Each structure stands twice: as C-alpha cells, then as structure tokens.
Amino acid sequence: MARPSMYPPELRKRAVRMVAEIRGDYPTESAAINAVVAKLGIGSRETLRKWIRQDQIDTGARPGTTTEESAQIKALKKEIAELKRANEILKAASAFFAAELDRPHTRS
C-alpha cells in the first residue's frame, strides 16, 4: 500500500501553476522548479518535477497514463483479485460437494 502524501492536492496544484507562471523569468524549467521548491518548502525538486509531468499527462500535453486512468486500473486490479479469491472458494466448495455425492450412502 502506498503511503499517503504529505502534500495536500491544493499545494501540488499551486506549485505546478507557479512553475508555469514564472517559467519565463528563468533560463530553464529546472531553475524555475528550484525557485518554487525553495518558496513553498517542498522537500525535493524531483517531487515537483513529477507533479509537473503528471499534470502535463492529465491535461493531454504529454502521453502517458492519467491520474484517473491509474485509479481505474488500481480499482480493476483489486476487483480481479477479489474475484479470483471468490473463484478459488467456489472451486473448493464444488470439489467438496462433488466428493460428497460420490460417497456411497448407507440407509438406516
């Protein structure tokens, strides 16, 4: 299970927006990221870079799996695992009852 983020979604959006707004004031995107990381107290520039890349994917500016698609995939994987467990239980139960039917019955 992934650990919860220590940064709220509002801070993430704000940081991504700030980088977009000040990008023109710096020679590189990396310099703009460094400035925003320092202003907002984000632990790592790589963290902010990942948020920016994910925002670009979510808005369609970059190819990749969107946040919504990732959530859907995660939910579907969980459902598949639950269905596999249920299927195993049903297989075991059907084998048990089939064995019961094959036993000779004695009448009293």
Side-chain angles (χ1 to χ4, degrees):
M1 182 178 210
R3 73 178 167 83
S5 174
M6 57 189 260
Y7 301 106
E10 299 81 27
L11 176 70
R12 291 174 180 225
K13 290 176 187 173
R14 181 176 173 210
V16 169
R17 191 175 55 247
M18 284 176 71
V19 171
E21 289 171 357
I22 66 169
R23 172 61 182 92
D25 300 342
Y26 292 89
T28 64
E29 182 182 53
S30 182
I33 289 172
N34 286 338
V36 172
V37 163
K39 284 180 187 175
L40 297 180
I42 297 170
S44 159
R45 61 181 303 282
E46 182 63 18
T47 300
L48 180 53
R49 190 190 68 77
K50 286 181 183 178
W51 296 346
I52 293 167
R53 297 299 176 255
Q54 189 60 52
D55 182 66
Q56 291 170 342
I57 291 169
D58 290 346
T59 58
R62 169 178 237 143
T65 305
T66 65
T67 304
E68 184 179 316
E69 290 169 339
S70 293
Q72 275 184 323
I73 290 169
K74 183 178 178 182
L76 289 171
K77 284 183 177 182
K78 183 177 179 181
E79 185 178 352
I80 288 169
E82 289 173 11
L83 291 171
K84 283 182 178 180
R85 279 193 300 274
N87 199 19
E88 290 301 317
I89 291 169
L90 291 172
K91 281 181 185 179
S94 67
F96 173 78
F97 289 118
E100 284 290 315
L101 292 175
D102 288 342
R103 287 194 186 133
H105 295 284
T106 58
R107 293 195 168 186
S108 321

